[in-house]
Amino acid sequence: MTDFHQSTRGKPRVALVTCADRAALEADDRLVLGPLAERGVLAVPAVWDDPTVDWAGYDLVVLRSPWDYILRPDEFVAWAAGVPRLANPADVVRWNTDKRYLDELAAAGVPTVPTGWVLPGRPWRPPAERGEYVVKPAVSAGSQDTGRYDLADPHHRDLAEAHVRRLGAAGRVAMVQPYLTAVDTEGETALLFLAGPHGPAFSHAIRKGPMLAGPDEGVADHHRPEEITARTATAAQLAVAERTLAAVPGGSGRLLYARVDLIPGPDGTPVLVELELTEPSLFLGYADGAPDRLADAIVTHLSRGGA
């Protein structure tokens, strides 16, 4: 029999945290419900900003799809700090929700895409260098409020400036990165890690096709449909992912899950685009056994008392 913390009500109870728009969970997240039930764990969806939820009544609270927090990040971080037995932990959430963590990882030796930051109210002019750049908010989910600009085009330069001003006017920090053109051919690789007895263990990888088709003018969808396929991770990608996880403040051993997003840099070697530790899609449906591995990871955390 599995030895894990047992709720006084019988079966261990796990909350899978979502948002009101996805109150029944994403289809991918629902794949873990059966494997958890097989392991004697009752898992239920719970909306993060629902004031009627008793978070202390759960043996573990697992962040999954609370994706509407991006316009209320301070409220979300404060909520996380008040939730006992949260996975991933609240201090990880506070650090990871703002993509300025990329500077810390770069300082720790992780190869990352070069990133500039524009604080609200600060002036910004596009770089003099030609080439394509991406502008997006430092707190974001998916590709919302993200645009791709060809700085050889004067109109695109104007649109990039307007994008940064629009973010600043909303009190949001803007981030500016060179567009890594390898994404158009090689795509982006997401490496998924799930908790094991000795820390995060590699589970599976997927390929995401290019999504950004052009500028974000704040009025219409400018993204291509998301294309996801299974992918075999290379040794070089795994090495960068391991180096990234080793640099997580407080250690990676506390993590229930991690997603490391990589794109080939100009020389073809993988560079980190994002480290997703708060509410990443885990793409459970793209790898045999992935729902079971997540269920085992949750059981592992329950055995630690939710720590």
Side-chain angles (χ1 to χ4, degrees):
M1 180 177 178
T2 306
D3 180 19
F4 48 63
H5 175 66
Q6 190 81 356
S7 166
T8 57
R9 293 169 296 278
K11 290 184 178 181
R13 299 177 72 240
V14 172
L16 301 179
V17 180
T18 184
C19 58
D21 286 346
R22 293 169 173 81
L25 299 174
E26 285 281 290
D28 194 67
D29 288 328
R30 289 197 294 270
L31 295 176
V32 77
L33 297 177
L36 283 173
E38 292 170 2
R39 288 156 176 78
V41 177
L42 175 63
V44 296
V47 174
W48 75 272
D49 57 354
D50 181 350
T52 69
V53 177
D54 176 18
W55 300 107
Y58 292 97
D59 300 289
L60 186 65
V61 176
V62 178
L63 289 166
R64 288 312 317 124
S65 51
W67 294 331
D68 62 355
Y69 79 88
I70 60 172
L71 296 179
R72 295 180 287 157
D74 293 341
E75 181 182 340
F76 180 71
V77 168
W79 165 83
V83 177
R85 299 180 293 280
L86 182 68
N88 283 327
D91 63 301
V92 171
V93 170
R94 182 178 63 251
W95 178 76
N96 188 243
T97 50
D98 189 320
K99 291 181 177 59
R100 282 177 283 186
Y101 67 76
L102 288 169
D103 283 352
E104 294 183 42
L105 295 177
V110 176
T112 63
V113 59
T115 306
W117 312 95
V118 187
L119 300 179
R122 297 289 180 87
W124 178 79
R125 294 284 297 170
E129 296 86 356
R130 303 296 185 179
E132 291 187 282
Y133 282 77
V134 173
V135 175
K136 60 183 177 181
V139 179
S140 63
S143 296
Q144 295 182 46
D145 302 305
T146 300
R148 171 182 174 181
Y149 302 91
D150 182 353
L151 298 189
D153 182 335
H155 181 54
H156 274 224
R157 298 179 72 87
D158 291 342
L159 290 175
E161 285 190 74
H163 189 168
V164 171
R165 286 197 302 271
R166 189 164 61 249
L167 293 174
R172 306 174 78 184
V173 175
M175 55 192 294
V176 181
Q177 300 174 318
Y179 184 78
L180 300 180
T181 57
V183 75
D184 292 330
T185 53
E186 296 297 317
E188 180 177 325
T189 301
L191 289 81
L192 287 304
F193 291 78
L194 300 172
H198 308 293
F202 175 69
S203 171
H204 58 287
I206 58 97
R207 176 191 184 274
K208 293 193 286 184
M211 291 187 64
L212 293 179
D216 179 356
E217 301 183 61
V219 291
D221 186 23
H222 55 284
H223 300 123
R224 300 186 181 101
E226 189 173 53
E227 296 181 358
I228 307 293
T229 55
R231 167 165 276 180
T232 300
T234 67
Q237 290 169 336
L238 288 166
V240 172
E242 295 286 358
R243 188 187 305 181
T244 301
L245 293 177
V248 173
S252 63
R254 301 179 299 148
L255 302 178
L256 174 62
Y257 49 71
R259 198 182 89 200
V260 183
D261 294 344
L262 306 174
I263 296 176
D267 64 356
T269 60
V271 298
L272 179 72
V273 180
E274 290 189 32
L275 171 61
E276 297 271 12
L277 304 180
T278 301
E279 31 59 46
S281 294
L282 297 177
F283 304 110
L284 300 177
Y286 290 87
D288 291 342
D292 289 285
R293 289 191 289 276
L294 178 57
D296 287 338
I298 289 173
V299 168
T300 294
H301 269 246
L302 285 167
S303 71
R304 300 170 181 166

